[in-house]
Amino acid sequence: MRTCYTGDVNKDHLDQTVTLFGWVHRRRDHGGVIFIDLRDRAGLAQIVVDPDNVAAFNTAEHIRNEFCVRITGLVRLRPEGTSNPELASGGIEVLCREIEILNPSVTPPFQLDDDNLSETTRLTHRVLDLRRPQMQRNLMLRYRVSIEVRKYLDNLGFIDIETPMLTKSTPEGARDYLVPSRVNAGQFFALPQSPQLFKQMLMVSGFDRYYQITKCFRDEDLRADRQPEFTQIDCETSFLNEVEIREIFEGMIRHVFASVQNVALPASFPTMTWEEAMRRYGSDKPDLRVKLEFVDVGDLMRDVDFKVFSAPANDPASRVVALRIPGGASMPRSEIDAYTKFVGIYGAKGLAYIKVNDAAAIPEGLQSPIVKNIHVDVLAQLIERSGAQSGDLIFFGADKAKVVNDAIGALRVKIGHSDFGKDNGLFEAGWQPLWVVDFPMFEYDDEEGRYFAAHHPFTSPKDGHEDFLETDPSQALAKAYDMVLNGWEVGGGSVRIHRAEVQSKVFRALNIGAEEARDKFGFLLDALQYGAPPHGGVAFGLDRLVTMMAGAESIRDVIAFPKTQRAQCLLTQAPSPVDEKQLRELHIRLRSPEVKAAQ
């Protein structure tokens, strides 16, 4: 029977006989004495196998990396000068008395302490990858975060209620994963993109404080921070306004950071409107650690000869901004060219700049190919408005608003996180939380000529904005809020519509007719008729939150068995074909490649 975890053996166990179980992390033969670094989920312990113990030594000679073993031995101090302060067991070693090979291992495809493994190798051999200490730490961190979330919500009267995994396909933004029904031929379930509709119905049912840590599914193109199946901390509550809801869940995040990582987040998170975030940072999830901001200069550029600036300055759908980089005049041209190439990823056609060598001498003190195309008085106003000083650099974005926001917003973050940014005080390390509020209710799609819900169609408009739903939906703001942390959206939610007449107005603004609304959302609309309470909630991405706390590069590093960016599991080789019998039972016939190509 195990005395304790291997990594937990310490000086409190001195002169005790302990029994440990684990895997051989490393075996070393030093002049006839064999050393074994034994590993389990708690860490490592050094085992010494002396040749005087003939039986144990003979067994140890046959042991190799990743053998699963049981060891019994005497805990003693390590010889002076050989302790390892980085390990809990670093001051002791275990003199082996008995060793048993519980199961040998074939030669692993990689060394577990190899930090240069490709992700393909790691995901293909995920079982072994999960043995690596950093992966064990990540998953233990995820577990502790989940436990502290539950503690916090339980103490506030929230109850954990499960909602269905097989449900109705409803339009919520991304593609649904569909599941064919064998019993009901030709009909399909959908895996939930979120428990949104069910948690609203739970509020109508009188369960005024609900939560669950649950899987959600979206069949969408993937990025480093997205998975086809991901985990939400999903919450809903009744009879609270948006400020009160934010206070509860701000407290939850503070509690998790304090309990799990001993980090004290601010006592009150700052709040910023969506409009202000887009104006200052070009992003609705700004990284406040980066001390750079946009300055709108479109009004100064309307009459300049440089059409790259004047054309977007006179287009209501476009934007011209300046981004001042303190100390940036020292940047070599090669670095500016690299940034020009970088913004091209986001659709920018170029990256205009001005080096401010001498802010008092205009235009002589300004260095740029574009200076000759801008009036001297406009140049002076640019310097004044941007706050540029001698030795600074000003980058410009001029294009459709989305291109400018995406390109210059990404440039802002890239420069802030660079060595240049850190060396010049443009980046402030630490945790910078933020609430972004007052989002637009709708987004307009030019191609389809209609509005779509920016959040989801059950988000309540701000008080006094109900009339905009019918007169000018573009002006309607939502009671929606996102929690942003260091440039990542870690959670988002809204106050929901609980009155049928307001929900009908929203459906009309979205060009969803009464018959379509009844077909897709009839079960929710019926529920709202029975005295639905005012309610709202929020959902946090557990994967993203843990990724940030772990300092991991990808959410795949905090998920036990993730998918690749092609939505594949390299470990199990899923998705995979199924046989014809299964397809017949599900009333499904696959189209041939020739038919699909013709269509």
Side-chain angles (χ1 to χ4, degrees):
M1 187 172 179
R2 178 168 55 192
T3 304
C4 63
Y5 281 106
T6 297
D8 291 337
V9 181
N10 56 52
K11 291 182 179 179
D12 292 339
H13 298 93
L14 279 176
D15 300 323
Q16 295 181 24
T17 298
V18 296
T19 297
L20 307 175
F21 292 83
W23 290 265
V24 175
H25 189 68
R26 193 178 294 105
R27 172 190 172 279
R28 294 162 285 140
D29 191 333
H30 286 186
V33 177
I34 294 176
F35 292 87
I36 295 172
D37 291 335
L38 190 65
R39 184 194 70 244
D40 64 10
R41 76 179 200 190
L44 299 170
Q46 178 171 282
I47 313 299
V48 180
V49 188
D50 194 292
D52 291 343
N53 188 331
V54 176
F57 193 83
N58 288 340
T59 301
E61 285 187 310
H62 294 88
I63 282 177
R64 296 294 181 266
N65 287 4
E66 299 312 310
F67 275 37
C68 183
V69 301
R70 175 188 64 83
I71 288 176
T72 298
L74 178 69
V75 179
R76 68 185 188 185
L77 288 174
R78 290 197 188 190
E80 187 175 350
T82 65
S83 62
N84 184 350
E86 295 183 2
L87 298 178
S89 63
I92 59 91
E93 60 187 17
V94 178
L95 178 62
C96 180
R97 289 177 173 168
E98 296 179 15
I99 185 167
E100 177 186 2
I101 297 175
L102 300 175
N103 212 339
S105 170
V106 297
T107 302
F110 54 81
Q111 295 294 323
L112 267 64
D113 51 6
D114 185 351
D115 293 328
N116 297 309
L117 298 173
S118 71
E119 189 171 61
T120 298
T121 298
R122 291 178 54 205
L123 295 182
T124 301
H125 303 282
R126 189 61 162 185
V127 173
L128 290 178
D129 185 47
L130 288 175
R131 287 186 185 178
R132 299 196 307 144
Q134 58 267 48
M135 291 302 299
Q136 299 244 322
R137 287 194 298 269
N138 288 352
L139 292 189
M140 291 299 291
L141 173 65
R142 184 185 178 107
Y143 163 74
R144 292 197 300 273
V145 169
S146 297
I147 287 294
E148 294 304 328
V149 165
R150 292 185 182 280
K151 286 180 182 178
Y152 179 87
L153 294 175
D154 288 346
N155 287 337
L156 289 181
F158 284 80
I159 58 175
D160 185 349
I161 304 177
E162 293 180 350
T163 52
M165 283 296 165
L166 296 175
T167 183
K168 183 181 178 68
S169 178
T170 57
E172 295 181 58
R175 295 183 188 89
D176 286 325
Y177 275 101
L178 298 178
V179 180
S181 172
R182 179 184 60 81
V183 176
N184 300 284
Q187 298 186 16
F188 294 82
F189 294 106
L191 300 180
Q193 295 186 29
S194 79
Q196 180 61 49
L197 302 181
F198 287 103
K199 67 182 181 182
Q200 288 192 247
M201 289 187 289
L202 285 171
M203 296 301 104
V204 181
S205 300
F207 295 97
D208 65 313
R209 292 197 168 190
Y210 140 94
Y211 84 98
Q212 64 174 322
I213 300 177
T214 185
K215 286 286 188 184
C216 302
F217 306 86
R218 293 178 188 172
D219 186 7
E220 59 186 350
D221 295 334
L222 304 181
R223 298 196 300 265
D225 61 344
R226 287 190 176 175
Q227 285 280 291
E229 54 177 323
F230 57 95
T231 304
Q232 275 189 183
I233 306 167
D234 197 60
C235 311
E236 196 83 1
T237 184
S238 299
F239 309 116
L240 297 179
N241 62 35
E242 57 185 306
V243 173
E244 293 167 327
I245 293 171
R246 292 203 309 265
E247 287 175 349
I248 285 178
F249 294 103
E250 179 180 313
M252 183 185 83
I253 296 301
R254 270 197 303 271
H255 169 81
V256 167
F257 270 80
S259 301
V260 175
Q261 292 193 311
N262 197 30
V263 169
L265 295 179
S268 179
F269 293 1
T271 300
M272 182 181 297
T273 66
W274 176 88
E275 186 279 330
E276 181 182 358
M278 298 303 294
R279 174 171 51 83
R280 294 171 61 184
Y281 306 109
S283 171
D284 57 8
K285 44 182 182 295
D287 186 345
L288 297 186
R289 295 173 300 172
V290 177
K291 305 306 175 184
L292 299 171
E293 294 190 19
F294 289 12
V295 176
D296 280 293
V297 294
D299 59 315
L300 303 179
M301 301 296 189
R302 292 192 182 111
D303 299 321
V304 300
D305 297 330
F306 194 38
K307 292 194 179 299
V308 170
F309 285 172
S310 60
N314 287 284
D315 178 3
S318 297
R319 188 177 188 191
V320 184
V321 303
L323 184 70
R324 173 199 167 208
I325 313 298
S330 63
M331 275 190 193
R333 181 59 187 267
S334 60
E335 192 167 350
I336 294 175
D337 289 344
Y339 285 137
T340 302
K341 185 176 180 180
F342 172 74
V343 298
I345 298 171
Y346 300 89
K349 301 177 184 69
L351 183 62
Y353 69 92
I354 294 176
K355 285 189 175 184
V356 185
N357 297 323
D358 184 352
I362 299 174
E364 295 83 5
L366 307 181
Q367 178 187 346
S368 169
I370 69 171
V371 168
K372 62 181 181 293
N373 299 313
I374 302 176
H375 309 310
V376 173
D377 60 331
V378 173
L379 290 171
Q381 292 178 73
L382 277 174
I383 298 302
E384 180 180 3
R385 184 175 295 185
S386 67
Q389 306 292 318
S390 298
D392 291 351
L393 172 68
I394 305 174
F395 282 122
F396 294 91
D399 210 313
K400 293 297 184 183
K402 184 179 188 315
V403 172
V404 171
N405 291 337
D406 291 349
I408 306 303
L411 178 66
R412 168 186 172 269
V413 173
K414 187 173 182 65
I415 292 174
H417 283 256
S418 68
D419 290 339
F420 172 88
K422 293 174 181 176
D423 291 343
N424 285 271
L426 307 182
F427 181 87
E428 182 182 331
W431 296 101
Q432 293 281 351
L434 172 72
W435 283 109
V436 178
V437 301
D438 294 355
F439 283 78
M441 281 279 291
F442 307 104
E443 296 172 347
Y444 191 78
D445 188 306
D446 291 319
E447 290 186 7
E448 297 202 22
R450 54 166 289 195
Y451 287 100
F452 288 86
H455 193 57
H456 57 63
F458 316 107
T459 300
S460 175
K462 291 190 73 69
D463 296 339
H465 285 227
E466 292 89 349
D467 290 342
F468 287 136
L469 300 176
E470 296 182 313
T471 61
D472 187 0
S474 67
Q475 297 298 309
L477 298 181
K479 292 182 179 177
Y481 35 81
D482 281 356
M483 182 184 290
V484 177
L485 188 60
N486 289 6
W488 285 41
E489 176 199 331
V490 293
S494 67
V495 172
R496 324 302 185 189
I497 297 169
H498 69 285
R499 290 184 290 131
E501 65 272 19
V502 177
Q503 187 66 73
S504 296
K505 288 182 179 180
V506 170
F507 283 152
R508 286 196 292 272
L510 294 171
N511 201 28
I512 297 175
E515 185 176 342
E516 182 183 359
R518 169 58 51 185
D519 177 57
K520 293 179 177 177
F521 308 111
F523 56 94
L524 176 64
L525 298 177
D526 288 343
L528 294 178
Q529 297 179 86
Y530 296 104
H535 60 283
V538 65
F540 290 89
L542 178 64
D543 310 303
R544 289 188 182 185
L545 185 62
V546 177
T547 299
M548 297 188 71
M549 297 176 75
E553 294 184 1
S554 164
I555 63 172
R556 291 189 285 275
D557 286 339
V558 301
I559 299 172
F561 301 104
K563 307 293 188 292
T564 68
Q565 287 187 316
R566 290 180 55 83
Q568 296 172 315
C569 175
L570 299 183
L571 176 68
T572 63
Q573 298 297 303
S576 60
V578 297
D579 62 39
E580 183 63 28
K581 179 182 178 183
Q582 289 177 282
L583 292 176
R584 285 198 304 270
E585 289 176 341
L586 295 170
H587 318 285
I588 290 176
R589 177 182 297 151
L590 297 180
R591 290 185 296 172
S592 67
E594 293 78 12
V595 173
K596 287 189 284 186
Q599 294 181 352

